[in-house]
Amino acid sequence: MKQRLHQTILSFALLTSAGHAQVTATYIGPTNGGWNTPANWDINQVPINSGTNLFNAILPNRIVNFDLAPGFYQLTAINLQNGGELRIGGGRHLDITGVAVIGGYINASGAGARFSALSEFVSFAPNSAPRLNAEGGAVIEIAAPNFGFNSGSGNVIRAFGTDSRVDLSNLSTLTVSSTSTSAKDIVADNGGIIDLSNLTALTGPSSGGNLRLIIQANSDIILSRLRTTNNFVLFRPFVSLYTLPDLQTANGTTFEVISGNTVSLPSLLTHQRGKIDVQTSGTINMPSLTTMDGVEVVIQNGGTIAAPQLRTFINSTVELNPTRFFNTPLFTNINGSRISVRDGLSYAVAATTYTFSSGSGTLFLASGANTYLDLRSLTSVSVSSTSTGFKDITAENGGVVDLSNVVTVTGPGSGGDLRIFVRPNSDIRFNRLRTLTGRSVWVVSTNFTLPSLESAGNAIFEPQIFARIHMPALTALNQCELRIQDGGTIEAPQLRTFTNSFMELNPTRFLIAPAFTNIDGSRIHLTGGRAYAVAAPSYTFSSGSGILFRAKDADTYLDLRSLENLTVSSTSTSSKDIIAESSGVIDLSNVTTITGPNSGGDLRIILRDGGVIRFGTVATQRRVQFSARDTQTTLRFTGSFTLNSPSRILLQFVPTMEMWGNFRFNNTAEAEVNLADGIVWMNGNGVQRLEVGGEDIGRPSGSIPANFQMGQLIIGDVDRPTRVVLEDEINNGNRTGGRREALYMQGFPSEDGLRIRPSSVLVLNGIQAYAVVNNEWVHLNALLGNRRSIRYDQGYIVRDEGVTNLPDVNDDGCVDDADLLAVLFNFGSDDADADVNFDGVVDDADLLAVLFNFGAGSGGC
């Protein structure tokens, strides 16, 4: 750089000063040292032109005071390097006749102080941070064509005081690229003037603090030919009228209008990515402006923006009230913009569509009594911004947002939702809205109607306490949520399709709708004693996870009896749950097949804290897990239950599995049928079949490992006798040594492993059965000996199924005199053999049974 400067100075000297002696002097003195000290220069001589002696001065990054006596001085060339400072006091005029390269700070102070560099060889050094300050009547005049400032902050150009002047009238471009977070200022103050009269392009930093142009009272920054501004540029004039007569395009620019003052931009056509801030009683006139794009408009009470040609207002924001004047025609394009009106103002647009593709915040707001934001020109609203922030349309405090001609509303596919807030005594009119897609949330605190809405997707409807959302034409919701708050109501008399959606109801959350005929993919939760029913014939859940159905609290009843098939195919790694808890009831009594996923998290059917789930006759397929826990919980099957591997069941902490039909399973892994800590209650009032799967290890002497055992088997009820037949129809992997599989009932510390209620019967059917009785294992088959049946508990154990086919008391194959005599001789007793009907007493019924079947049998009667 220094070498190039020397070459330039030399060339200039040869051209203009032939025959004159020319010397280059470099300042080597201390910072804040004096120019007029010879020892401060490497040539030990003060460099000032005199007669034929011409000097070039190089000032490095130090402060140098031009401390010669007041007067006029010349140099042939100067190089003020980046970080250096030249201070010129009152009455001293330094004139550079040739080359001037300025990368540092020129600080002229006091009346008569002047720095001049007006030749065609003057420039501001590239990649530097030059600063100019003229104060107290000083003048700085530099004829460079371009100006750049690339680092630091603070005052870049300053003229302070009467007759103080910075004359840069030869500049065509001025660029401040420093990204320092602090502001970079061009300031005219206390009567000072900065002349930028030929500047056509002004560029501020792309980030960090603004380039600020501050024009104080009685001062001026002359920008009579400025046409474009770019990046972060801010104008802050404190004069009563400030005009930029030729400015046509403002990019990234902020215009601040101080209270009571006027800014005039007569040629401005486009304002992009900036801000207009009009304070009280301030005015900004933009008679040619047609487009605002990305502009934040702030008008304080009493402020005025006059833009009679402005029709395109995009990606911009404005908040208005009756004392904030935005004098424009109706906007024909408001895409991406945010408009708020308050305090009784009526405001309208003429745009036909609205899109919002980036950012977040309040899109439309009407706040206050008689406030009316008229958006009736719009036919569609599309909010596609995926910003994580919310995008809101709000009516509050009696305000109205009129979107009554909008037919479609589209929310974002991800990120923050489009939120619709209808506050008390306010309204957002969607009279013609038919289709709602994308992510939206409707938070309603009053009575609100969507009269034409037919379908909605990805929407959340959230009526608050005492609020009602009425949707008379709605027939289908998909991927929606009914988020009804306590005391809130949703009324949808045509709604029958509720798919991939969610709702949670209690007795104070009101849904007025017919029973849903399609609930595929949906999740329904009930609490607090609420009863709710659906009419769908089947249910599928193909993606996602979570709690599918839930009933919690006493008297809560989720009636899913319409379902015949329940299929969960989602392969999400998380579980898919059906939960009854805290005495809640889920009724699935007509489901015949439950199908879980092939992979991923299981379909889990969970009962806890007294919850009840009712099934009829049902079989499982694929990955289904039944889990019941605690003594108050009941898993009820009013028909037969077939568990197909890899489905599984787990009873913990002594819950009850109540069976009215048969129980079969084909699992070979004992952990998949874990009934050891639960009660199996066979209570069917008929013949029931119970599959056994344990290995016959004989009569144990203590605890046993997992062996398909039960904690307790209860057969029948006091007024509901039943007959349970053991069977080994399925090989569960324990037919060792050719033996049939066995049943083990291990009991609990204070409960036997087998309980048989009055008149109920356990039919061993050739199966070896073992139960803990009084804390000891008992081989039930051994109790029979040679007898056909024995009394056990309150009922009977019989050898095989054929025992009750005929009243053949002595098992000789013929109902004859011997059987009649056995009944008569034991009449009135509880003899187990003579009590042919197993009702606990030998009586008339047993006698009649023998008489009615007398002579029957296969033993040669």
Side-chain angles (χ1 to χ4, degrees):
M1 173 70 184
K2 185 181 293 186
Q3 183 178 2
R4 290 199 302 271
L5 177 61
H6 288 165
Q7 292 173 347
T8 303
I9 293 173
L10 178 61
S11 299
F12 176 75
L14 292 173
L15 287 171
T16 60
S17 304
H20 293 262
Q22 183 170 287
V23 178
T24 296
T26 299
Y27 183 84
I28 60 173
T31 190
N32 209 20
W35 185 295
N36 201 28
T37 300
N40 287 341
W41 299 94
D42 64 345
I43 61 173
N44 200 30
Q45 182 180 358
V46 176
I48 287 295
N49 288 359
S50 174
T52 60
N53 297 318
L54 306 180
F55 288 91
N56 311 319
I58 298 175
L59 306 181
N61 57 344
R62 299 171 192 167
I63 298 172
V64 179
N65 294 291
F66 194 75
D67 57 352
L68 283 77
F72 176 76
Y73 301 93
Q74 288 186 323
L75 277 178
T76 300
I78 192 169
N79 178 5
L80 176 58
Q81 294 181 354
N82 189 28
E85 180 179 346
L86 174 61
R87 293 178 177 175
I88 302 175
R92 298 164 177 82
H93 181 184
L94 177 60
D95 178 35
I96 310 301
T97 61
V99 172
V101 178
I102 300 167
Y105 183 13
I106 298 176
N107 187 354
S109 176
R114 193 179 194 101
F115 178 87
S116 302
L118 300 176
S119 80
E120 61 180 307
F121 300 102
V122 175
S123 65
F124 288 99
N127 302 315
S128 62
R131 301 175 189 266
L132 307 175
N133 180 56
E135 61 179 85
V139 174
I140 297 174
E141 47 190 354
I142 298 173
N146 304 297
F147 180 94
F149 182 89
N150 75 344
S151 65
S153 59
N155 291 329
V156 178
I157 302 173
R158 178 173 178 261
F160 181 86
T162 303
D163 297 327
S164 298
R165 184 181 184 92
V166 176
D167 186 349
L168 299 173
S169 57
N170 202 48
L171 284 185
S172 61
T173 65
L174 189 155
T175 300
V176 173
S177 57
S178 168
T179 57
S180 165
T181 55
S182 299
K184 283 68 71 172
D185 294 340
I186 299 175
V187 181
D189 193 2
N190 199 29
I193 294 174
I194 298 173
D195 189 345
L196 296 166
S197 55
N198 282 303
L199 189 72
T200 59
L202 179 62
T203 302
S206 59
S207 61
N210 288 324
L211 166 59
R212 302 188 301 183
L213 289 88
I214 302 173
I215 306 101
Q216 297 288 352
N218 303 311
S219 307
D220 198 7
I221 298 177
I222 302 171
L223 289 161
S224 52
R225 296 187 62 189
L226 180 64
R227 292 188 177 182
T228 63
T229 58
N230 293 287
N231 298 337
F232 291 112
V233 176
L234 181 148
F235 288 90
R236 183 179 291 162
F238 290 86
V239 296
S240 59
L241 174 63
Y242 186 72
T243 301
L244 295 171
D246 207 26
L247 182 63
Q248 298 177 11
T249 302
N251 296 317
T253 304
T254 295
F255 298 98
E256 290 186 1
V257 184
I258 307 303
S259 296
N261 295 338
T262 298
V263 171
S264 180
L265 306 173
S267 301
L268 185 64
L269 300 174
T270 302
H271 188 191
Q272 294 180 302
R273 298 179 296 104
K275 181 178 181 179
I276 296 177
D277 187 351
V278 183
Q279 299 180 11
T280 301
S281 301
T283 300
I284 185 167
N285 293 314
M286 298 174 286
S288 302
L289 184 68
T290 62
T291 301
M292 279 189 181
D293 182 357
V295 178
E296 179 186 359
V297 176
V298 178
I299 308 173
Q300 298 183 19
N301 292 343
T304 300
I305 293 178
Q309 304 300 321
L310 179 61
R311 290 182 171 84
T312 298
F313 185 76
I314 57 177
N315 306 307
S316 301
T317 63
V318 66
E319 182 173 315
L320 301 173
N321 67 25
T323 65
R324 300 174 185 176
F325 305 105
F326 197 26
N327 299 331
T328 70
L330 299 182
F331 295 145
T332 57
N333 188 345
I334 59 169
N335 286 336
S337 288
R338 298 180 285 130
I339 300 173
S340 298
V341 293
R342 296 180 180 272
D343 304 331
L345 179 69
S346 292
Y347 186 80
V349 304
T352 58
T353 61
Y354 175 76
T355 62
F356 189 87
S357 58
S358 66
S360 59
T362 299
L363 310 186
F364 301 121
L365 169 70
S367 178
N370 301 315
T371 302
Y372 181 54
L373 179 53
D374 184 356
L375 303 176
R376 288 177 295 173
S377 61
L378 298 180
T379 59
S380 66
V381 171
S382 176
V383 177
S384 57
S385 169
T386 57
S387 163
T388 55
F390 295 111
K391 303 87 185 178
D392 296 343
I393 300 175
T394 302
E396 61 184 14
N397 302 317
V400 175
V401 178
D402 196 338
L403 289 157
S404 55
N405 287 312
V406 168
V407 177
T408 61
V409 170
T410 304
S414 60
D417 296 333
L418 166 61
R419 301 190 302 183
I420 314 295
F421 288 99
V422 188
R423 303 301 190 191
N425 305 310
S426 306
D427 195 13
I428 299 179
R429 297 174 183 167
F430 279 104
N431 296 352
R432 297 183 62 193
L433 178 62
R434 293 184 179 179
T435 304
L436 179 61
T437 59
R439 297 165 60 95
S440 65
V441 180
W442 300 68
V443 181
V444 176
S445 304
T446 186
N447 291 331
F448 176 68
T449 300
L450 294 170
S452 303
L453 183 64
E454 297 173 353
S455 63
N458 284 296
I460 297 173
F461 296 97
E462 187 174 340
Q464 305 297 294
I465 185 170
F466 306 134
R468 176 185 295 258
I469 300 177
H470 184 211
M471 297 176 281
L474 183 68
T475 61
L477 293 177
N478 184 49
Q479 294 183 321
C480 292
E481 179 181 348
L482 303 184
R483 189 182 293 172
I484 306 171
Q485 302 301 300
D486 291 346
T489 301
I490 289 179
E491 186 175 1
Q494 306 299 320
L495 178 60
R496 290 182 172 84
T497 298
F498 185 75
T499 54
N500 305 301
S501 298
F502 173 74
M503 68 177 181
E504 181 171 335
L505 303 178
N506 67 27
T508 65
R509 299 175 184 176
F510 305 104
L511 174 62
I512 302 173
F516 297 147
T517 57
N518 187 347
I519 59 169
D520 285 344
S522 287
R523 298 178 293 123
I524 300 174
H525 297 182
L526 303 182
T527 62
R530 175 63 189 263
Y532 184 78
V534 303
S538 62
Y539 175 78
T540 62
F541 189 87
S542 57
S543 66
S545 59
I547 300 174
L548 312 186
F549 300 120
R550 179 174 180 244
K552 180 183 179 184
D553 303 321
D555 299 321
T556 300
Y557 179 54
L558 179 52
D559 184 354
L560 302 176
R561 288 178 296 173
S562 64
L563 299 183
E564 297 177 2
N565 296 290
L566 191 155
T567 301
V568 175
S569 57
S570 169
T571 56
S572 165
T573 56
S574 299
S575 61
K576 286 67 71 171
D577 297 342
I578 298 174
I579 300 177
E581 58 186 333
S582 303
S583 302
V585 176
I586 298 177
D587 197 335
L588 289 160
S589 55
N590 287 311
V591 169
T592 59
T593 303
I594 301 176
T595 303
N598 273 321
S599 60
D602 291 347
L603 166 60
R604 301 191 306 179
I605 299 173
I606 300 172
L607 302 89
R608 59 194 178 207
D609 302 326
V612 175
I613 298 183
R614 297 174 184 166
F615 292 98
T617 295
V618 64
T620 67
Q621 302 291 334
R622 302 200 298 239
R623 300 171 63 92
V624 181
Q625 178 186 152
F626 293 82
S627 175
R629 56 185 298 155
D630 78 68
T631 57
Q632 305 301 314
T633 297
T634 302
L635 175 60
R636 179 170 296 151
F637 295 88
T638 58
S640 295
F641 177 34
T642 302
L643 187 73
N644 291 305
S645 182
S647 294
R648 51 186 173 159
I649 185 167
L650 172 64
L651 304 184
Q652 293 178 292
F653 306 111
V654 200
T656 298
M657 181 173 73
E658 183 179 357
M659 301 292 309
W660 290 15
N662 306 322
F663 176 42
R664 295 185 173 93
F665 57 93
N666 65 5
N667 308 71
T668 57
E670 283 83 354
E672 292 181 355
V673 183
N674 190 342
L675 310 176
D677 199 24
I679 297 171
V680 178
W681 186 13
M682 308 293 285
N683 187 26
N685 195 25
V687 177
Q688 297 177 258
R689 298 186 175 276
L690 176 61
E691 175 72 20
V692 302
E695 180 184 0
D696 186 357
I697 58 175
R699 183 172 72 88
S701 59
S703 61
I704 63 173
N707 194 26
F708 291 111
Q709 69 265 40
M710 298 176 182
Q712 184 180 61
L713 174 63
I714 300 176
I715 299 174
D717 202 352
V718 173
D719 58 352
R720 190 179 175 88
T722 190
R723 184 179 180 88
V724 173
V725 180
L726 302 184
E727 64 178 30
D728 181 24
E729 296 297 318
I730 301 169
N731 185 355
N732 300 104
N734 286 321
R735 292 178 178 174
T736 57
R739 295 191 301 272
R740 300 178 72 184
E741 291 166 328
L743 174 64
Y744 286 83
M745 298 159 281
Q746 65 185 26
F748 304 109
S750 59
E751 289 284 341
D752 291 345
L754 173 65
R755 299 298 306 271
I756 304 178
R757 299 307 186 201
S759 302
S760 292
V761 177
L762 172 61
V763 181
L764 298 179
N765 199 29
I767 301 296
Q768 301 302 306
Y770 305 87
V772 170
V773 180
N774 295 324
N775 296 316
E776 294 289 340
W777 281 102
V778 173
H779 185 197
L780 299 180
N781 306 69
L783 295 179
L784 281 170
N786 294 323
R787 304 178 68 183
R788 59 193 287 274
S789 61
I790 59 170
R791 289 191 60 80
Y792 183 92
D793 195 10
Q794 297 171 303
Y796 302 88
I797 296 176
V798 302
R799 188 178 304 281
D800 54 50
E801 278 192 89
V803 169
T804 59
N805 287 343
L806 292 171
D808 183 10
V809 177
N810 60 5
D811 282 339
D812 64 357
C814 181
V815 180
D816 55 14
D817 294 338
D819 303 303
L820 180 59
L821 289 173
V823 172
L824 290 173
F825 288 152
N826 290 285
F827 201 85
S829 74
D830 61 356
D831 183 81
D833 290 329
D835 183 13
V836 296
N837 64 357
F838 301 112
D839 65 358
V841 62
V842 181
D843 56 12
D844 294 339
D846 303 300
L847 182 59
L848 290 173
V850 173
L851 292 173
F852 287 154
N853 290 280
F854 202 86
S858 59
C861 294

Short mmCIF file of all heavy atoms in Angstrom, two decimals, residues 337-369:
data_model
loop_
_atom_site.label_atom_id
_atom_site.label_comp_id
_atom_site.label_asym_id
_atom_site.label_seq_id
_atom_site.Cartn_x
_atom_site.Cartn_y
_atom_site.Cartn_z
N SER A 337 -48.47 -9.71 4.94
CA SER A 337 -48.55 -8.56 5.83
C SER A 337 -49.37 -8.87 7.07
O SER A 337 -50.13 -9.83 7.13
CB SER A 337 -49.13 -7.36 5.10
OG SER A 337 -48.18 -6.85 4.18
N ARG A 338 -49.19 -8.01 8.08
CA ARG A 338 -49.90 -8.13 9.34
C ARG A 338 -50.57 -6.78 9.63
O ARG A 338 -49.88 -5.76 9.68
CB ARG A 338 -48.96 -8.55 10.46
CG ARG A 338 -48.34 -9.92 10.20
CD ARG A 338 -47.40 -10.39 11.30
NE ARG A 338 -46.12 -9.70 11.25
CZ ARG A 338 -45.55 -9.12 12.29
NH1 ARG A 338 -46.15 -9.13 13.47
NH2 ARG A 338 -44.38 -8.53 12.18
N ILE A 339 -51.87 -6.80 9.82
CA ILE A 339 -52.65 -5.57 9.97
C ILE A 339 -53.45 -5.66 11.26
O ILE A 339 -54.22 -6.61 11.47
CB ILE A 339 -53.60 -5.37 8.77
CG1 ILE A 339 -52.79 -5.28 7.46
CG2 ILE A 339 -54.45 -4.13 8.96
CD1 ILE A 339 -53.64 -5.25 6.20
N SER A 340 -53.29 -4.66 12.12
CA SER A 340 -54.04 -4.58 13.36
C SER A 340 -54.80 -3.27 13.42
O SER A 340 -54.24 -2.21 13.08
CB SER A 340 -53.10 -4.67 14.58
OG SER A 340 -52.41 -5.90 14.59
N VAL A 341 -56.05 -3.33 13.84
CA VAL A 341 -56.85 -2.11 14.02
C VAL A 341 -57.44 -2.13 15.43
O VAL A 341 -57.79 -3.19 15.96
CB VAL A 341 -57.95 -1.98 12.96
CG1 VAL A 341 -57.35 -1.76 11.59
CG2 VAL A 341 -58.84 -3.21 12.93
N ARG A 342 -57.57 -0.93 16.02
CA ARG A 342 -58.01 -0.82 17.40
C ARG A 342 -58.95 0.36 17.60
O ARG A 342 -59.06 1.26 16.76
CB ARG A 342 -56.81 -0.65 18.35
CG ARG A 342 -55.84 -1.81 18.39
CD ARG A 342 -54.70 -1.53 19.36
NE ARG A 342 -53.75 -2.64 19.43
CZ ARG A 342 -53.86 -3.68 20.25
NH1 ARG A 342 -54.91 -3.74 21.08
NH2 ARG A 342 -52.97 -4.64 20.26
N ASP A 343 -59.63 0.32 18.74
CA ASP A 343 -60.31 1.48 19.33
C ASP A 343 -61.38 2.09 18.44
O ASP A 343 -61.56 3.31 18.41
CB ASP A 343 -59.28 2.56 19.70
CG ASP A 343 -58.21 2.03 20.63
OD1 ASP A 343 -58.51 1.10 21.40
OD2 ASP A 343 -57.07 2.54 20.57
N GLY A 344 -62.12 1.23 17.71
CA GLY A 344 -63.26 1.72 16.95
C GLY A 344 -62.97 2.07 15.51
O GLY A 344 -63.86 2.56 14.80
N LEU A 345 -61.78 1.83 15.02
CA LEU A 345 -61.46 2.14 13.63
C LEU A 345 -62.04 1.08 12.70
O LEU A 345 -62.04 -0.11 13.00
CB LEU A 345 -59.94 2.17 13.44
CG LEU A 345 -59.46 2.46 12.01
CD1 LEU A 345 -59.78 3.90 11.63
CD2 LEU A 345 -57.96 2.20 11.87
N SER A 346 -62.55 1.53 11.54
CA SER A 346 -62.93 0.63 10.45
C SER A 346 -61.88 0.75 9.36
O SER A 346 -61.51 1.86 8.97
CB SER A 346 -64.31 1.00 9.90
OG SER A 346 -65.31 0.73 10.84
N TYR A 347 -61.42 -0.39 8.88
CA TYR A 347 -60.36 -0.39 7.89
C TYR A 347 -60.60 -1.54 6.93
O TYR A 347 -60.94 -2.65 7.35
CB TYR A 347 -58.99 -0.53 8.57
CG TYR A 347 -57.83 -0.39 7.62
CD1 TYR A 347 -57.39 0.88 7.23
CD2 TYR A 347 -57.18 -1.50 7.10
CE1 TYR A 347 -56.33 1.02 6.34
CE2 TYR A 347 -56.12 -1.37 6.22
CZ TYR A 347 -55.70 -0.10 5.85
OH TYR A 347 -54.66 0.04 4.97
N ALA A 348 -60.41 -1.27 5.62
CA ALA A 348 -60.71 -2.27 4.60
C ALA A 348 -59.55 -2.42 3.63
O ALA A 348 -58.72 -1.52 3.47
CB ALA A 348 -61.98 -1.89 3.84
N VAL A 349 -59.51 -3.58 2.97
CA VAL A 349 -58.57 -3.83 1.89
C VAL A 349 -59.35 -4.30 0.66
O VAL A 349 -60.54 -4.59 0.75
CB VAL A 349 -57.51 -4.88 2.28
CG1 VAL A 349 -56.77 -4.46 3.54
CG2 VAL A 349 -58.13 -6.25 2.46
N ALA A 350 -58.63 -4.38 -0.47
CA ALA A 350 -59.25 -4.84 -1.71
C ALA A 350 -58.57 -6.07 -2.28
O ALA A 350 -58.90 -6.51 -3.38
CB ALA A 350 -59.24 -3.72 -2.75
N ALA A 351 -57.66 -6.67 -1.54
CA ALA A 351 -56.97 -7.87 -2.02
C ALA A 351 -57.94 -9.04 -2.08
O ALA A 351 -58.86 -9.14 -1.27
CB ALA A 351 -55.81 -8.21 -1.09
N THR A 352 -57.74 -9.93 -3.04
CA THR A 352 -58.65 -11.07 -3.21
C THR A 352 -58.14 -12.35 -2.56
O THR A 352 -58.93 -13.25 -2.27
CB THR A 352 -58.90 -11.34 -4.70
OG1 THR A 352 -57.64 -11.57 -5.35
CG2 THR A 352 -59.59 -10.14 -5.35
N THR A 353 -56.83 -12.43 -2.34
CA THR A 353 -56.26 -13.61 -1.67
C THR A 353 -55.23 -13.14 -0.65
O THR A 353 -54.72 -12.01 -0.73
CB THR A 353 -55.59 -14.57 -2.66
OG1 THR A 353 -54.52 -13.90 -3.33
CG2 THR A 353 -56.59 -15.08 -3.69
N TYR A 354 -54.91 -14.03 0.27
CA TYR A 354 -53.91 -13.70 1.28
C TYR A 354 -53.04 -14.92 1.51
O TYR A 354 -53.54 -16.02 1.77
CB TYR A 354 -54.57 -13.28 2.58
CG TYR A 354 -53.57 -13.02 3.71
CD1 TYR A 354 -52.83 -11.85 3.74
CD2 TYR A 354 -53.39 -13.96 4.72
CE1 TYR A 354 -51.92 -11.61 4.76
CE2 TYR A 354 -52.48 -13.72 5.75
CZ TYR A 354 -51.75 -12.55 5.77
OH TYR A 354 -50.85 -12.32 6.79
N THR A 355 -51.72 -14.74 1.39
CA THR A 355 -50.77 -15.80 1.72
C THR A 355 -49.76 -15.24 2.70
O THR A 355 -49.38 -14.06 2.64
CB THR A 355 -50.04 -16.33 0.48
OG1 THR A 355 -49.29 -15.26 -0.11
CG2 THR A 355 -51.03 -16.87 -0.54
N PHE A 356 -49.32 -16.12 3.61
CA PHE A 356 -48.30 -15.74 4.59
C PHE A 356 -47.29 -16.87 4.62
O PHE A 356 -47.57 -17.95 5.14
CB PHE A 356 -48.95 -15.53 5.96
CG PHE A 356 -48.03 -14.93 6.99
CD1 PHE A 356 -47.89 -13.56 7.10
CD2 PHE A 356 -47.30 -15.75 7.85
CE1 PHE A 356 -47.03 -13.00 8.05
CE2 PHE A 356 -46.45 -15.21 8.79
CZ PHE A 356 -46.32 -13.83 8.89
N SER A 357 -46.12 -16.64 4.03
CA SER A 357 -45.19 -17.74 3.79
C SER A 357 -43.98 -17.76 4.69
O SER A 357 -43.23 -18.75 4.68
CB SER A 357 -44.74 -17.72 2.32
OG SER A 357 -44.13 -16.48 2.03
N SER A 358 -43.75 -16.72 5.48
CA SER A 358 -42.60 -16.75 6.39
C SER A 358 -42.87 -15.84 7.58
O SER A 358 -43.65 -14.89 7.49
CB SER A 358 -41.32 -16.30 5.67
OG SER A 358 -41.41 -14.94 5.30
N GLY A 359 -42.22 -16.20 8.71
CA GLY A 359 -42.38 -15.38 9.90
C GLY A 359 -43.54 -15.82 10.76
O GLY A 359 -44.16 -16.87 10.56
N SER A 360 -43.85 -15.01 11.75
CA SER A 360 -44.93 -15.31 12.69
C SER A 360 -45.45 -14.01 13.26
O SER A 360 -45.03 -12.93 12.88
CB SER A 360 -44.41 -16.24 13.80
OG SER A 360 -43.34 -15.61 14.50
N GLY A 361 -46.39 -14.13 14.22
CA GLY A 361 -46.98 -12.95 14.85
C GLY A 361 -48.46 -12.87 14.61
O GLY A 361 -49.10 -13.81 14.12
N THR A 362 -49.05 -11.73 14.97
CA THR A 362 -50.47 -11.50 14.77
C THR A 362 -50.71 -11.03 13.34
O THR A 362 -50.27 -9.94 12.95
CB THR A 362 -51.00 -10.46 15.77
OG1 THR A 362 -50.81 -10.95 17.10
CG2 THR A 362 -52.47 -10.19 15.54
N LEU A 363 -51.40 -11.85 12.56
CA LEU A 363 -51.63 -11.51 11.16
C LEU A 363 -52.72 -10.44 11.04
O LEU A 363 -52.52 -9.43 10.38
CB LEU A 363 -52.04 -12.77 10.39
CG LEU A 363 -51.15 -14.00 10.57
CD1 LEU A 363 -51.59 -15.11 9.63
CD2 LEU A 363 -49.68 -13.65 10.36
N PHE A 364 -53.85 -10.68 11.68
CA PHE A 364 -54.95 -9.73 11.66
C PHE A 364 -55.48 -9.58 13.08
O PHE A 364 -55.65 -10.58 13.79
CB PHE A 364 -56.08 -10.19 10.73
CG PHE A 364 -55.66 -10.40 9.30
CD1 PHE A 364 -55.81 -11.63 8.68
CD2 PHE A 364 -55.10 -9.36 8.57
CE1 PHE A 364 -55.42 -11.84 7.37
CE2 PHE A 364 -54.70 -9.56 7.25
CZ PHE A 364 -54.86 -10.80 6.64
N LEU A 365 -55.78 -8.33 13.47
CA LEU A 365 -56.31 -8.06 14.80
C LEU A 365 -57.35 -6.96 14.71
O LEU A 365 -57.11 -5.92 14.08
CB LEU A 365 -55.18 -7.64 15.74
CG LEU A 365 -55.62 -7.06 17.10
CD1 LEU A 365 -56.21 -8.16 17.98
CD2 LEU A 365 -54.46 -6.38 17.80
N ALA A 366 -58.49 -7.19 15.36
CA ALA A 366 -59.47 -6.14 15.58
C ALA A 366 -59.75 -6.11 17.08
O ALA A 366 -60.22 -7.10 17.64
CB ALA A 366 -60.75 -6.39 14.80
N SER A 367 -59.44 -4.99 17.72
CA SER A 367 -59.56 -4.90 19.17
C SER A 367 -60.30 -3.62 19.54
O SER A 367 -59.88 -2.53 19.17
CB SER A 367 -58.17 -4.91 19.83
OG SER A 367 -58.26 -4.77 21.22
N GLY A 368 -61.40 -3.79 20.28
CA GLY A 368 -62.14 -2.64 20.76
C GLY A 368 -63.53 -2.57 20.16
O GLY A 368 -63.78 -3.01 19.03
N ALA A 369 -64.45 -2.01 20.92
CA ALA A 369 -65.84 -1.85 20.46
C ALA A 369 -65.88 -1.06 19.16
O ALA A 369 -65.15 -0.08 18.99
CB ALA A 369 -66.67 -1.16 21.54
#
